[in-house]
Amino acid sequence: MDRAVQRTDHDAIASKLSAVKRGYYEDEYLELFCPRFEPRLPLINIGTWCRVRAIDQAITEFLEKNTEGKTQVISLGAGSDTRPFHLLPKHPNLVYYEIDFPTQVRKKAAIVRRHLSQKVELCDSATPVTLEGDINTSRYHLLGQDLRQLSLPDLDESVPTLIISECCLCYLAPESSHLVLEYFASRVAHLSIVLYEPIGLDDEFGRVMAENLMMRGLCLPTFQKFSTLDSQTSRLRELGLTHTISAKDMEQYYNDLPSAEQKRIHRLEFLDEVEEMNLLLRHYCVVFAGK
Ligand SMILES: C[S@@+](CC[C@H](N)C(=O)[O-])C[C@H]1O[C@@H](n2cnc3c(N)ncnc32)[C@H](O)[C@@H]1O
C-alpha cells in the first residue's frame, strides 16, 4: 500500500510537466524530477493547472499577509514538488519544510544536491548539507518521515506557519490525518492550512474514481470520511482554524477565474470534453483556513 501511495507522486509530477509543456504555466525545475514527458488529456492539464494555481494562490496570500519577520511553509507529502526552489530565493524570511517517506526523500535529495543546491542557495556556510538522506539547512528542510509518526522537535512554533496538503492526507486513515493536523494545530499559534483533496465519493463518478484507485492498490480512507466540501471545511474548523479564507470545489474555482485567464487557457488546446472536465473538477476541492 505504501509503495502504491508513493507512486502517486509520479502521476502528480508527470501531469504537472504535461501542463507546463502545453503552456498552462511555467516551471523550469520540473524536468529535473520527471525527465520523461507523458502528454495528458486537455481536461487533465486544466485540472492540474487549477490545482497548482489554487495552492500557489494560498501561499502568495499567506506570504503577503506575513511580511514582517520569519514565516514557515510545511508541505506534507511534498513528493517532487518544486515550489521551494521558486519561493526560497524570492522570500528571504521564508523557511520551507518538505516531508515525505524516506525513500521518496532520498531520491529528491540526490537531485536537489546535484542540480539545485547552488542554483537556489539552499546551503549556507553555517549549515552545510550532509552527503545523503535528509537535507537540513537554515531555510530548507527536506525530511524523510512517515507522517503517521510525525516528529519535528526543531520546529519554531512561534512563527506564522502554512501547512500544505496537496493530495496527501487523503491517503492516510482519518485518525492519522487528524493527528497530523492536530500536531500543528496544538503547537503553532499562528497557523494556516491549505488542503487540496478529492471529494464526492457518493456519486457514480466518485465511485468509479475510487474503484480505479483500488485497482492500483490505493484506498482513500479519508476520502470516505471527508467526502464533501463542508466536511473538509469543518475538519479544519474543529481544529480551531475557524477563519475560512476560501473553500471551493474546483469547478467553482475554475468558473470564478478571471475571464482573461480562462480565455488564455482555452487558446492553448482544443477541449472536447467540457462536461467531463466539469465532472472531474467537481470531485476535488481546495480549502484554505487559518486561526
Ligand atoms: C499524490 S502525491 C502528491 C505530491 C505533491 N504534494 C504534489 O501534489 O505534487 C502524494 C504524496 O504524499 C506522500 N505521502 C502519502 N502518505 C504519506 C505518509 N504517510 N508519510 C509521508 N508521505 C506520504 C506520497 O509519498 C506522495 O509523494
Side-chain angles (χ1 to χ4, degrees):
M1 168 74 180
D2 283 355
R3 291 285 289 277
V5 169
Q6 288 158 15
R7 276 195 291 271
T8 62
D9 176 45
H10 176 75
D11 296 336
I13 195 87
S15 298
K16 287 179 180 179
L17 185 62
S18 169
V20 164
K21 290 269 185 199
R22 265 291 172 184
Y24 285 82
Y25 68 106
E26 289 178 3
D27 187 337
E28 70 271 33
Y29 301 125
L30 274 180
E31 270 176 308
L32 289 173
F33 299 94
C34 185
R36 199 156 48 92
F37 171 44
E38 301 161 16
R40 298 288 198 253
L41 291 172
L43 84 167
I44 303 292
N45 287 335
I46 293 180
T48 303
W49 169 71
C50 284
R51 158 181 173 169
V52 171
R53 192 182 185 283
I55 299 282
D56 285 351
Q57 215 176 348
I59 298 175
T60 303
E61 244 180 85
F62 168 78
L63 293 174
E64 282 175 356
K65 255 190 218 141
N66 297 289
T67 50
E68 300 292 311
K70 192 172 152 189
T71 46
Q72 282 173 160
V73 171
I74 302 178
S75 177
L76 308 175
S80 305
D81 189 36
T82 56
R83 283 191 184 87
F85 319 119
H86 296 281
L87 290 167
L88 285 167
K90 287 191 200 137
H91 300 277
N93 293 327
L94 174 65
V95 176
Y96 208 105
Y97 282 79
E98 296 196 292
I99 305 172
D100 208 302
F101 286 110
T103 46
Q104 301 291 96
V105 160
R106 262 196 296 279
K107 283 186 263 168
K108 184 170 193 172
I111 296 169
V112 173
R113 286 191 174 103
R114 179 175 302 175
H115 299 282
L116 293 166
S117 57
Q118 303 303 323
K119 212 167 177 176
V120 293
E121 297 173 53
L122 295 176
C123 336
D124 53 49
S125 53
T127 49
V129 285
T130 50
L131 283 177
E132 53 182 326
D134 297 4
I135 294 178
N136 276 298
T137 74
S138 57
R139 296 185 53 220
Y140 179 61
H141 302 271
L142 175 58
L143 306 178
Q145 279 194 27
D146 184 332
L147 290 167
R148 291 166 292 195
Q149 281 106 43
L150 183 64
S151 166
L152 301 173
D154 298 328
L155 183 70
D156 187 343
E157 295 164 4
S158 65
V159 170
T161 300
L162 172 68
I163 306 295
I164 302 174
S165 166
E166 183 183 353
C167 260
C168 168
L169 289 178
C170 51
Y171 296 110
L172 270 62
E175 316 79 60
S176 306
S177 76
H178 177 76
L179 287 176
V180 172
L181 293 176
E182 202 190 32
Y183 182 93
F184 296 104
S186 62
R187 286 172 169 78
V188 182
H190 191 144
L191 184 69
S192 304
I193 299 182
V194 58
L195 305 178
Y196 176 92
E197 298 277 300
I199 50 170
L201 181 73
D202 45 354
D203 64 16
E204 189 51 28
F205 187 92
R207 272 192 291 277
V208 172
M209 211 160 115
E211 274 165 27
N212 288 343
L213 289 166
M214 291 274 243
M215 285 196 289
R216 295 172 48 195
L218 292 163
C219 73
L220 301 186
T222 306
F223 181 27
Q224 284 152 19
K225 174 143 189 210
F226 303 107
S227 69
T228 63
L229 181 60
D230 278 351
S231 58
Q232 292 283 359
T233 311
S234 318
R235 77 193 286 207
L236 296 187
R237 199 170 295 135
E238 281 158 23
L239 284 161
L241 287 101
T242 48
H243 175 47
T244 304
I245 302 157
S246 72
K248 292 181 182 184
D249 70 46
M250 297 312 285
E251 184 184 24
Q252 190 193 347
Y253 180 87
Y254 180 77
N255 290 334
D256 290 347
L257 284 171
S259 63
E261 281 281 86
Q262 289 198 8
K263 278 191 192 131
R264 182 181 76 84
I265 291 312
H266 289 151
R267 279 197 294 268
L268 293 176
E269 58 186 334
F270 177 67
L271 174 73
D272 203 10
E273 323 91 339
V274 178
E275 191 39 47
E276 264 179 294
M277 179 190 77
N278 288 333
L279 205 53
L280 179 73
L281 292 177
R282 220 174 289 156
H283 284 79
Y284 288 89
C285 71
V286 61
V287 178
F288 180 28
K291 66 165 182 166

